[in-house]
Amino acid sequence: MAIPELPGGPYDVEYFFDPGCPFAWQTSVWMRGVAELRGVRIGWRFISLRFLNEANRDQPAQMAEAQKVGLRFHRICAAARERMGNDAVGALYRAWGESYWYEEARGAVSDRVANAARRSDAAAVIESVGLPADLLSAAEDAAWDVVIRAETDEAIGRTGSGVGTPIITYLPSGNSLFGPVISEVPDDERTVQLYDALRTLADFAGFSELKRTERPPLDLPLFKAA
């Protein structure tokens, strides 16, 4: 299936997110800062960790359950986009993340994420952004999986395999990168500097990778050390 055109485009970036990925969330907060400071327009797309990991029999059961919750919220976002456009997805994702990642917790990371998924309340998120309550029914409608899977495949097709979330496509070049993976959201000056640097890299088709695995822990209450 070809992925649908995003309503209200063209956009400066297309941002592929999974609602249960803390790295995608932290980067989305930075990206929204870029949008405010630079007037960059964000088109919201889906990449499902549930689908990316469906053949992985070794992941913890808690993570698999959390990914199912993420898929159900993806379905709500897909239904909202079809009915009300791109901005509805952005509003839903923002409200979801703000209710998901900012409560302190204890235990292993997989347990913290699983517990956050269990306490998530999609109905409350929908209500908080003023969207129709009947969107909740989309959570159990697997028909939306067609577009979610198609966008997941598209995201990986744009970067190549062996990556995660988020994936960002920079337009008009159309080049895509996994990340940036950031532990904390930078201040305004560095927010713009980081965006400019990434645009320089992304717009050069010959660039593929920079990486380091040593990094500070995520600056999110859910992952605060006990």
Side-chain angles (χ1 to χ4, degrees):
M1 173 188 172
I3 62 172
E5 292 291 331
L6 288 177
Y11 294 92
D12 299 298
V13 299
E14 291 187 353
Y15 192 99
F16 291 81
F17 72 92
D18 184 287
C21 176
F23 301 105
W25 169 254
Q26 196 78 315
T27 303
S28 78
V29 177
W30 162 75
M31 192 74 250
R32 291 180 192 276
V34 173
E36 292 176 3
L37 294 165
R38 278 289 181 83
V40 168
R41 301 188 70 223
I42 307 169
W44 299 102
R45 287 200 181 274
F46 314 128
I47 179 169
S48 171
L49 290 174
R50 173 67 176 165
F51 292 151
L52 288 178
N53 290 292
E54 60 190 349
N56 181 3
R57 306 303 180 192
D58 297 325
Q59 68 172 336
Q62 305 98 309
M63 298 301 290
E65 286 303 311
Q67 289 165 13
K68 290 180 182 178
V69 172
L71 176 58
R72 288 195 287 271
F73 190 70
H74 259 152
R75 292 168 178 167
I76 292 170
C77 290
R81 189 172 70 189
E82 182 171 286
R83 289 170 57 182
M84 285 151 284
N86 178 74
D87 289 349
V89 179
L92 284 167
Y93 182 36
R94 183 171 195 162
W96 174 269
E98 289 176 349
S99 69
Y100 197 102
W101 300 113
Y102 294 101
E103 183 170 322
E104 292 188 15
R106 296 285 187 272
V109 169
S110 59
D111 291 331
R112 297 186 193 196
V113 173
N115 289 334
R118 290 188 194 104
R119 71 169 185 269
S120 61
D121 188 341
V125 168
I126 293 168
E127 181 181 11
S128 74
V129 297
L131 294 179
D134 66 351
L135 281 173
L136 185 64
S137 65
E140 307 305 325
D141 186 354
W144 294 108
D145 293 359
V146 175
V147 68
I148 297 165
R149 188 179 292 277
E151 294 197 3
T152 299
D153 292 344
E154 177 71 15
I156 297 303
R158 291 183 184 185
T159 59
S161 62
V163 299
T165 62
I167 287 173
I168 303 176
T169 298
Y170 296 85
L171 301 169
S173 72
N175 295 330
S176 303
L177 295 174
F178 161 54
V181 176
I182 56 175
S183 295
E184 61 187 41
V185 179
D187 61 24
D188 287 356
E189 181 179 2
R190 289 190 175 181
T191 284
V192 172
Q193 290 173 346
L194 179 58
Y195 180 73
D196 288 343
L198 285 165
R199 288 237 55 142
T200 298
L201 294 172
D203 290 341
F204 174 48
F207 171 77
S208 61
E209 183 175 9
L210 285 172
K211 187 172 183 179
R212 64 179 173 190
T213 56
E214 291 296 326
R215 59 176 179 263
L218 273 163
D219 183 26
L220 288 169
L222 189 69
F223 302 106
K224 184 177 180 180

